[in-house]
Amino acid sequence: MELAVVSVLGADRVGIVAGIASVLARHNVNIIDISQTVVRDIFSMVMVVDMSKADIDIAQLRKELEEEGRRLGVMVGVYHIDVFRYMQRI
Amino acid sequence: MRFDPSEIGEVLEMLLFRELDIRAVTLSVNTLPAIRPTVGDTLAALEETLEPLLKRLRPAVERVASRLGVKIVTVRLAVSPISIMLEPIGKAEAAVEIAKHLDGLAEKHGVDMVGGFSAFVHAGVSRGDAALMEALPEALNSTRRLAGFLNVASTATGVNMDAVRAAAEAVLKMEPHAAARFAATANMPEDVPFMPGAYHGLGLPDAVVNIAVSGPGVIEAVVRNMPNADVRTLHDAIKRAAFKITRLGELVGREVAKELGVPFGSVDLSVAPSPKVGDSVAAILEAVGLPRVGAPGTLFALALFVDAVKKGGAMATSTIGGLSGAFIPVSEDVVMAEAAREGALTFDTLKSTLAVCNTGIDMAGIPGDAPPDAVAALIADVMAVAVALDKALGVRLVPIPGAKPGDVYDLGGLYGRVVVMDLGKYRDIPLARRKGTAPPAVERLKKG
């Protein structure tokens, strides 16, 4: 599995999950885990996704998700799972 | 491997809101195979040695940054000490030509800085050293990306007062942007990723990748969240944060080395500030409990911080290198610069911090007409501590023409705003004109 973490942060509105998920689905990126909350109208979502069957690389995925984020008015970040593996596991 | 949402959240917070990034990826290259008897041949051979790697350096770093999603602030090159390459030529004009050529190569390949315009003169000056020393002011004044140092003292040999004097005089001939790329140093290690200390050491393979981490904002947030913790609990929390910061450096270092097909060298455990707000080492010290950095307690706070950073970092990487301590370059740290402007931070305070950190006196402004005696004597003071305590220290002073203490000069970029500090009232210091090399301390005898 080629895992990445997608983070989404911004003002809550209808369609954020759908917008982000549709970009992932279009490129055959599978959502493994998802955690989402809204605190005081701030929407926050973290996804762990599997890119091993994706038709694009992580840089291209980031570009497309950032574009979708701009459309939705939220901030999107895409990170390789190794960053979390290195910083949180010995 | 599953991650708790709070673990992911912690890393995201560090990356998104605490300015956690990789300060520098430094490719260190052995350029000694390019030594030739004439300057023309040397330039051609240098290019032949460096270009194949330089062509791939920035693209490799960008690929890694993009894949991981982590910001890498600067891409740097370190070469073998240019003084060695000048041995067969022995001319200052050649040194200036090499300097300009390296600067041009760096610009062409998107390399932010080149280190290694340096000489080791702690026990005396060779033919190549002399050429480099003579060329230093012109070489740095006429370039933008080149950096260098003169290693004027070592634990093994003592303090070379002739070289101290030469370093002081060279600094006073430099424009501010050039002086910011030069330091007088003691005991420089071979794998420093930070400028102006970076050079390719004699004990290294042909090429290695060294990493400098950043991340004061991460540690400041940790400290601010624990206002009532006792010092040992605080130390432990800083240690854990330092571990995580250093792990990111280890990951990036391994990945860039793999991309370039060269060995991974080391991670410098130092936490380095930048002029951005929220990226300050001084702010950490104030969060530990100082009204202003420079107040009584500064040394204790710094010592606590440095020890925690070293202990946390030591487990995070398999190869520790560089200077590994706390960096407190005055201009590059907004809170430090402000404290200097207010007079809370003086040269005396900075001299006392040498005992517990590994920077020395770094990025402090002095008046452009500062007396050479006072500058040389200040360098000699720092070198004496380095020899007595057997540590790597440096002095990086920036002379500002026409300025007086309290004035501020903006160098721009990562260098920040230089505050001109008071060198004291003594213009005439006969000691700074004495020649010769002070003997090493008894520390030397421990090595046999």
Side-chain angles (χ1 to χ4, degrees):
Chain A
M1 277 205 283
E2 175 85 5
L3 299 182
V5 171
V6 177
S7 78
V8 181
L9 198 64
D12 193 24
R13 57 169 278 183
V14 172
I16 299 176
V17 178
I20 299 294
S22 69
V23 174
L24 296 174
R26 198 189 313 141
H27 292 292
N28 208 29
V29 178
N30 191 30
I31 300 170
I32 303 281
D33 204 346
I34 179 166
S35 147
Q36 184 247 302
T37 51
V38 178
V39 180
R40 291 187 194 167
D41 296 334
I42 299 294
F43 173 92
S44 158
M45 175 168 73
V46 174
M47 287 170 163
V48 178
V49 301
D50 179 13
M51 302 203 50
S52 52
K53 295 198 175 70
D55 59 11
I56 51 173
D57 67 2
I58 192 166
Q60 185 60 31
L61 179 69
R62 180 179 300 115
K63 208 174 136 223
E64 293 200 20
L65 284 178
E66 280 171 355
E67 232 162 74
E68 182 65 16
R70 270 191 291 279
R71 195 181 67 77
L72 295 163
V74 293
M75 193 170 81
V76 182
V78 181
Y79 309 86
H80 196 276
I81 197 76
D82 279 353
V83 173
F84 303 84
R85 197 174 281 151
Y86 261 71
M87 290 176 69
Q88 298 290 17
R89 295 284 186 272
I90 298 174
Chain B
M1 187 183 314
R2 289 184 70 86
F3 289 94
D4 192 272
S6 71
E7 289 177 315
I8 291 184
E10 185 192 23
V11 173
L12 289 177
E13 187 192 333
M14 289 178 180
L15 294 169
L16 285 168
F17 305 117
R18 305 285 173 218
E19 307 287 353
L20 177 59
D21 49 35
I22 298 297
R23 168 57 82 86
V25 170
T26 306
L27 175 69
S28 183
V29 181
N30 174 23
T31 48
L32 296 184
I35 295 181
R36 299 287 185 276
T38 66
V39 66
D41 290 349
T42 305
L43 297 184
L46 258 178
E47 203 162 312
E48 207 176 304
T49 308
L50 290 172
E51 282 230 290
L53 281 161
L54 284 184
K55 269 186 196 145
R56 290 158 50 217
L57 178 59
R58 184 162 271 280
V61 170
E62 278 172 5
R63 269 199 302 278
V64 170
S66 169
R67 198 169 77 82
L68 297 177
V70 171
K71 196 169 153 210
I72 297 172
V73 185
T74 59
V75 181
R76 298 166 175 185
L77 171 72
V79 297
S80 305
I82 296 298
S83 62
I84 301 178
M85 308 200 60
L86 287 165
E87 295 295 354
I89 308 173
K91 287 201 184 70
E93 308 86 80
V96 174
E97 274 193 60
I98 293 174
K100 288 180 179 166
H101 196 74
L102 282 172
D103 203 52
L105 269 182
E107 192 174 356
K108 180 177 165 193
H109 294 287
V111 171
D112 302 298
M113 290 198 87
V114 187
F117 199 78
S118 310
F120 287 79
V121 289
H122 42 262
V125 174
S126 71
R127 186 176 134 96
D129 298 334
L132 183 121
M133 286 162 82
E134 193 189 329
L136 258 174
E138 194 191 337
L140 294 183
N141 284 341
S142 58
T143 54
R144 305 300 298 190
R145 296 171 190 236
L146 193 73
F149 61 83
L150 286 182
N151 197 70
V152 298
S154 82
T155 304
T157 62
V159 181
N160 181 350
M161 287 302 285
D162 301 318
V164 166
R165 182 81 197 180
E169 285 174 2
V171 167
L172 289 170
K173 285 185 202 142
M174 288 180 201
E175 292 159 21
H177 73 86
R181 290 177 272 122
F182 171 77
T185 64
N187 293 323
M188 279 314 277
E190 299 184 329
D191 49 6
V192 179
F194 285 103
M195 298 293 172
Y199 74 102
H200 188 81
L202 294 177
L204 303 178
D206 278 327
V208 289
V209 170
N210 296 322
I211 298 293
V213 292
S214 182
V218 172
I219 296 180
E220 188 195 340
V222 165
V223 176
R224 290 220 181 274
N225 282 336
M226 310 179 70
N228 300 316
D230 66 79
V231 285
R232 188 172 284 215
T233 309
L234 197 60
H235 178 276
D236 189 59
I238 297 173
K239 199 169 70 180
R240 287 163 192 269
F243 172 86
K244 289 173 185 173
I245 294 169
T246 312
R247 286 294 283 175
L248 187 62
E250 173 90 358
L251 171 63
V252 168
R254 286 188 190 184
E255 293 289 312
V256 173
K258 208 189 318 166
E259 282 275 338
L260 279 171
V262 306
F264 171 39
S266 62
V267 181
D268 189 315
L269 302 186
S270 307
V271 173
S274 84
K276 280 182 294 191
V277 172
D279 212 13
S280 160
V281 168
I284 299 172
L285 303 183
E286 293 185 358
V288 169
L290 297 173
R292 204 19 142 196
V293 66
T298 298
L299 283 184
F300 178 79
L302 187 56
L304 189 80
F305 168 62
V306 171
D307 187 68
V309 165
K310 285 192 188 191
K311 286 176 180 163
M315 191 169 163
T317 172
S318 47
T319 44
I320 303 156
L323 297 164
S324 293
F327 272 92
I328 46 170
V330 182
S331 77
E332 295 175 19
D333 184 312
V334 273
V335 178
M336 200 67 98
E338 187 54 26
R341 208 188 50 76
E342 287 170 12
L345 205 62
T346 63
F347 276 122
D348 285 339
T349 342
L350 287 175
K351 270 196 250 182
S352 64
T353 59
L354 304 177
V356 294
C357 79
N358 279 66
T359 320
I361 294 179
D362 201 19
M363 289 303 279
I366 55 172
D369 64 351
D373 280 5
V375 175
L378 179 66
I379 295 174
D381 279 345
V382 177
M383 298 301 117
V385 177
V387 169
L389 300 182
D390 190 16
K391 59 200 290 184
L393 289 174
V395 179
R396 187 159 49 145
L397 300 171
V398 183
I400 307 298
K404 52 183 192 317
D407 289 355
V408 176
Y409 180 90
D410 196 351
L411 277 169
L414 278 178
Y415 294 120
R417 287 154 61 85
V418 175
V419 179
V420 177
M421 294 171 70
D422 192 359
L423 269 171
K425 63 183 173 181
Y426 303 102
R427 296 195 70 85
D428 181 43
I429 305 173
L431 166 62
R433 298 191 297 271
R434 283 193 190 266
K435 302 207 173 302
T437 300
V442 285
E443 192 72 28
R444 169 69 182 88
L445 294 175
K446 288 185 189 164
K447 291 179 177 159

